[in-house]
Amino acid sequence: MEVIIRPTTAEAVNLTAKLIAEAIRRKPFLKLGLATGATMEAVYADLAAMNKAGEVDFSRVVTFNLDEYIGLPPEDPNSYRYYMNKHLFSKINIDMRNTNLPNGLAEDEVEEGLRYEAAIEDAGGIDLQLLGIGNDGHIGFNEPISSLASRTRAKALTPATYAQNSVYFNPPESMPKRAFTMGVGTILDAARVVMLITGAKKAGIAAKAIEGPVTSMVTGSALQMHPNAVVILDEAAASQLTQTDYYNWVFANEPEWEPYR
């Protein structure tokens, strides 16, 4: 795992977007794993601006989202399909047939998990997976005590996740209590993983995920086992890390980061 700290949220977001854009330039038919949430909206705004400026071409990119609420149709404003269409897909030159999310209305939940796993495999696997992290350390909807070998499946949300996300629903109690999510094992199969963490509220969980033990209680900590993972933080989110001097040294001196300095 590499840890990169940028002074501001905007700089952390922009570096994340630049890494994605560069990956697409190197491999135009990139298989890109995507995440949702407030943290990602700025990343997608940067990518849309790059696309509009002709700096990155999404026409051959294939995307796979991490998760989707069970019971919500795609046109529901709180579905992750709606979120992706609104914040990214409608603003870039992507072929909508190449955008994939779990089907929140699937009648057979087990079969839907298997179908999604097969779709990823048939595409050749995910080249780059974008991640955020939840307040309890979850990636996707892999809540605490999720198996670190888990695959795409239906998952019950914790009361903490329900409370955090239900503010976006009207009324709040209309939020589904379950969701489809890629498993931790599915995520770890990606060739590269980029996690973005911003804000002082995430400082404690960022420290646990990056420098704490690998544990199913903090599924984001599983990235410590990934051979090609980078975590990008702003200074606020990095405030409880203990090895910041080393992380800053890596960014200042390693050749791979020279184009981004």
Side-chain angles (χ1 to χ4, degrees), residues 133-138 143-144 160-161 164-165 198 201-206 208 218:
I133 192 167
N135 289 337
D136 60 4
H138 68 238
E143 303 283 33
T161 296
Q164 179 183 345
N165 291 10
T198 62
K201 290 182 179 179
K202 294 288 179 73
I205 200 62
K208 289 181 180 180
V218 180

Side-chain angles (χ1 to χ4, degrees), residues 123-172:
I126 293 172
D127 297 303
L128 189 155
Q129 176 67 58
L130 176 64
L131 293 176
I133 192 167
N135 289 337
D136 60 4
H138 68 238
I139 49 177
F141 274 129
N142 292 286
E143 303 283 33
I145 72 167
S146 290
S147 167
L148 301 186
S150 55
R151 314 305 297 187
T152 303
R153 68 214 184 284
K155 186 70 179 175
L157 307 181
T158 64
T161 296
Y162 189 83
Q164 179 183 345
N165 291 10
S166 63
V167 297
Y168 299 107
F169 288 75
N170 186 21

